[in-house]
Amino acid sequence: MLLGLLAYFLLPLAWLVINSTKSTAGLFQSFGLWFASDFHLFENVRETLTYQGGIYGRWFLNTVLYAVAGAGGAALLAALGGYGVAKFDFPGRRLLLAGVLGAVMVPATALAIPTYLLLSTVGLVDTPFAVIIPSLASPFGLYLMWIYAAAAVPDELLEAARIDGASELRIFWSVAMRLLAPGFVTVLLFQLVHVWNNYFLPLIVLNNPAWYPLTVGLKQWNEQAYGGGGGSVAVLNLVITGSLLAIIPLIAVFLVLQRYWQSGLAMGGVKQ
């Protein structure tokens, strides 16, 4: 059972790695889960990075911009909001919590068209802000940080800081944020994956290929590979290699941040 689940999750990655080493002809002349007689990985990487004037590099930088600004901003706003809702009692708090729980249930695709209309009204369509600003809203992240802040930040510690004369902003940055770090990293990872793989929203709010993220750009290459007719350039191998290069940063981020995430979960388990 465990081996079956492991194969289910790793098989697409293995297919991507193996087929990124093949030329376009090798993709159709060899078995999909084994290497071809020729090895074209480095040629594929070079062609991917130089095709159409190196537009892949521009798409990669756009994706990094959207992920860093969107995911980082969303995690910070979720930490601020979750801490505020968990540690301060104010009128309408229950109504706010009900609204957050309701927003968690709404799929992001259902809000894409209303989001486009709002961005069009304020003139932000076809700009990076059209992708970054909607990414800052994360009801699930706010809910997660609310739960985490309620359990991880002792009220006695906050009272002690207030008695010492610290301001609320100083208490948040110097005291609460240190305790919220594992939850912050968790929300950051979830939102980073969401923004990095976001396809539908950039597709409808961006028209200029220079602002495309990798998801939309690679889809454009894929349509060119399959629908360009007899005169089209064979770029299927570039789509596969570009997809492999696109997931490497996500894997690196998970490997770097997993120890903070795991240590935080273990520490929280001991406290409970």
Side-chain angles (χ1 to χ4, degrees), residues 3-264:
L3 290 177
L5 288 174
L6 189 63
Y8 175 79
F9 287 111
L10 292 183
L11 199 60
L13 180 61
W15 184 93
L16 192 63
V17 172
I18 292 172
N19 287 278
S20 64
T21 65
K22 303 177 182 178
S23 63
T24 301
L27 288 172
F28 295 99
Q29 295 172 356
S30 61
F31 180 57
L33 289 176
W34 194 245
F35 298 93
S37 56
D38 53 354
F39 188 81
H40 275 259
L41 176 61
F42 299 112
E43 291 85 349
N44 289 340
V45 171
R46 180 181 55 79
E47 291 179 19
T48 301
L49 298 178
T50 58
Y51 185 63
Q52 291 184 337
I55 190 66
Y56 184 89
R58 176 64 186 263
W59 294 340
F60 185 88
L61 292 177
N62 291 341
T63 306
V64 171
L65 171 66
Y66 301 149
V68 171
L76 181 59
L77 290 176
L80 283 166
Y83 170 76
V85 173
K87 294 301 173 183
F88 294 92
D89 192 12
F90 52 87
R93 182 169 174 265
R94 289 183 177 274
L95 184 62
L96 176 62
L97 296 178
V100 171
L101 290 176
V104 171
M105 307 298 176
V106 179
T109 51
L111 302 175
I113 299 302
T115 302
Y116 172 81
L117 295 176
L118 287 173
L119 294 171
S120 179
T121 302
V122 297
L124 291 179
V125 170
D126 206 22
T127 69
F129 297 105
V131 179
I132 294 173
I133 292 177
S135 301
L136 297 177
S138 175
F140 175 72
L142 177 60
Y143 174 75
L144 194 64
M145 290 307 299
W146 162 45
I147 297 296
Y148 195 87
V153 182
D155 293 335
E156 296 79 6
L157 191 60
L158 301 181
E159 288 300 325
R162 293 188 181 105
I163 292 174
D164 289 340
S167 65
E168 294 297 337
L169 189 61
R170 174 80 180 275
I171 293 173
F172 174 78
W173 285 113
S174 302
V175 179
M177 198 58 186
R178 295 176 184 273
L179 300 173
L180 294 175
F184 178 85
V185 171
T186 303
V187 174
L188 179 65
L189 286 175
F190 277 122
Q191 196 65 12
L192 187 68
V193 173
H194 169 71
V195 178
W196 193 274
N197 294 326
N198 196 1
Y199 170 73
F200 189 57
L201 180 64
L203 177 67
I204 64 173
V205 301
L206 298 176
N207 297 318
N208 186 353
W211 289 119
Y212 282 174
L214 287 170
T215 51
V216 180
L218 289 175
K219 181 63 168 60
Q220 188 182 58
W221 280 4
N222 189 60
E223 291 176 350
Q224 180 182 341
Y226 283 104
S232 65
V233 181
V235 294
L236 188 57
N237 58 328
L238 306 189
V239 176
I240 296 173
T241 306
S243 301
L244 177 65
L245 296 177
I247 66 174
I248 291 176
L250 279 182
I251 296 175
V253 169
F254 265 90
L255 291 177
V256 170
L257 295 181
Q258 69 171 348
R259 62 191 182 97
Y260 299 102
W261 188 18
Q262 291 174 351
S263 65

